[in-house]
Amino acid sequence: MKPPPFEYVVPDTLEEALEILAERRSEAKPLAGGQSLVPTMNFRLSEPGLLVDLRRIENLAGIRGTEDGGLEIGAMTLQADAERSPLVAERTPLLAEALPWVAHAQIRNRGTVGGSLAHADPAAELPAVALALGARVETCRAGGRSRWIDAETLWPGMFATAIEPEELLTRIRFPPAAPGSGFAFRELARRSGDFALVGVAAVVRLDEDGRCGMARITLLSVADRPLVANEGAKVLIGRIPTPAVIVEAARAVAARDVDPPSDIHASAAYRRHLCQTLTRRALTAAFDRGGDRPGHAGPRWRAGGW
Ligand SMILES: Cc1cc2nc3c(=O)[nH]c(=O)nc-3n(C[C@H](O)[C@H](O)[C@H](O)COP(=O)(O)OP(=O)(O)OC[C@H]3O[C@@H](n4cnc5c(N)ncnc54)[C@H](O)[C@@H]3O)c2cc1C
């Protein structure tokens, strides 16, 4: 199918784009990589009267470290550029680990980091990662007004965001990783490049005594938005993350945190099973990578291999 007729503009500056969005707010839509928007237009699931192409706007793309040791990514940064960035690998290794799971290389060559967050697909990897890492996004509107939105409140529902129609997402900020923290991303898709049946992001921190001081587990493809698994995390806090404790946490996620849907891709029961298995794997890897200081309990108690 082809999209319905639409107008198309390519503004040169951010202010120009924001003014167009303010004037035509009910019918205009920003166009980033077009990898989600164009297919939805072709299927007539979205019928914007005007596309505002963001590709010429300077400074909307780019990756830079922040002074506090965190990372900032411009909304129009290509997913492929983030995937290959040494700075992303160093400062937000969870994001680096998740990016190759996003679609296919060809799509990541066009798709943007900001476009993925703004599209708000509950099966997308990057929102779950942003949520796990406590990221914030900046939005701007005409007149130089901007605000920051926490990932926690960015996605109120299926394909919905807290971004107003006259606003643009301009950059994403990831806080620095706490010392002793470990991370991991795991997902299962039927074929390489397909959307995940379930995905899990885990961020943990080991204290000096080898106990879990912080745990954050997020899941994708199990709800109408990325989900934070608080019950699973509670099982871990203050405990030495032995294999048995990790299994207990993974069971809590599957039993109490999620209520996954059945669809043509997988039954709810299978998704629940995946939630447990992938959470166990993600937590095991995250704890292995955490607490990289003398006295760290992780690798020692797993020396026999598990
Ligand atoms: C075959 C296929 C497989 C895919 N598989 C996956 C997958 O496994 N995992 C995954 O996460 N994604 C997948 N995708 C989606 C892909 O990652 C998209 O690139 C991404 O979701 C959207 O990024 P984009 O830059 O292409 O945004 P666009 O398609 O241009 O825009 C998406 C939406 O966000 C809005 N938007 C874009 N930028 C901004 C901004 N700066 N401010 C405000 N609103 C904005 C647009 O108006 C639109 O509503 C797949 C896509 C295809 C075609």
Side-chain angles (χ1 to χ4, degrees):
M1 280 183 65
K2 294 291 166 214
F6 57 89
E7 288 176 68
Y8 173 76
V9 289
V10 194
D12 290 311
T13 64
L14 179 61
E15 198 49 44
E16 198 187 327
L18 294 171
E19 272 163 22
I20 296 168
L21 288 174
E23 273 166 30
R24 310 271 301 264
R25 109 190 260 282
S26 60
E27 52 173 346
K29 255 196 174 297
L31 176 70
Q35 299 301 294
S36 296
L37 182 53
V38 173
T40 56
M41 289 170 66
N42 287 344
F43 284 115
R44 312 275 169 134
L45 297 169
S46 173
E47 300 195 11
L50 171 67
L51 288 189
V52 184
D53 192 333
L54 308 178
R55 77 191 140 97
R56 260 198 225 144
I57 301 173
E58 256 187 81
N59 302 328
L60 268 192
I63 300 170
R64 67 172 198 92
T66 54
E67 275 177 21
D68 62 1
L71 189 80
E72 197 172 278
I73 300 186
M76 285 294 283
T77 304
L78 296 178
Q79 293 159 1
D81 287 341
E83 184 183 350
R84 289 192 282 262
S85 160
L87 201 53
V88 170
E90 183 201 317
R91 297 208 173 182
T92 52
L94 179 65
L95 179 59
E97 185 160 87
L99 273 160
W101 290 95
V102 177
H104 307 274
Q106 292 89 335
I107 290 164
R108 298 195 296 275
N109 279 335
R110 301 300 294 258
T112 64
V113 175
S116 177
L117 300 186
H119 186 55
D121 189 329
E125 287 79 7
L126 302 190
V129 167
L131 196 56
L133 292 174
R136 295 187 305 151
V137 302
E138 183 196 52
T139 63
C140 293
R141 66 175 72 206
R145 284 177 294 158
S146 66
R147 63 182 176 128
W148 287 92
I149 308 173
D150 289 336
E152 199 80 47
T153 55
L154 184 57
W155 300 285
M158 175 94 66
F159 293 108
T161 69
I163 304 168
E164 300 290 338
E166 69 268 33
E167 287 181 313
L168 276 179
L169 193 167
T170 45
R171 52 188 165 148
I172 305 108
R173 201 172 267 179
F174 296 89
S181 54
F183 66 88
F185 183 84
R186 294 289 182 271
E187 79 168 46
L188 187 91
R190 281 187 183 276
R191 298 170 307 184
S192 165
D194 278 3
F195 277 101
L197 297 178
V198 172
V200 178
V203 182
V204 298
R205 196 192 67 235
L206 280 173
D207 288 338
E208 296 281 345
D209 59 0
R211 290 175 194 279
C212 175
M214 185 281 287
R216 184 126 169 117
I217 305 162
T218 62
L219 293 102
L220 54 114
S221 255
V222 295
D224 65 351
R225 67 197 87 175
L227 186 103
V228 183
N230 289 319
E231 295 299 319
K234 268 191 230 161
V235 170
L236 298 164
I237 300 300
R239 298 175 75 186
I240 292 178
T242 61
V245 168
I246 289 175
V247 167
E248 194 184 323
R251 284 200 180 126
V253 169
R256 303 203 292 276
D257 279 309
V258 299
D259 184 13
S262 282
D263 57 27
I264 55 164
H265 305 294
S267 67
Y270 183 53
R271 279 208 167 88
R272 202 181 284 281
H273 168 77
L274 286 179
C275 288
Q276 183 173 326
T277 304
L278 294 172
T279 301
R280 175 174 57 76
R281 290 180 186 169
L283 285 173
T284 302
F287 280 117
D288 269 343
R289 293 162 174 175
D292 51 349
R293 304 174 313 283
H296 162 40
R300 264 212 318 273
W301 57 257
R302 230 174 272 115
W306 180 64

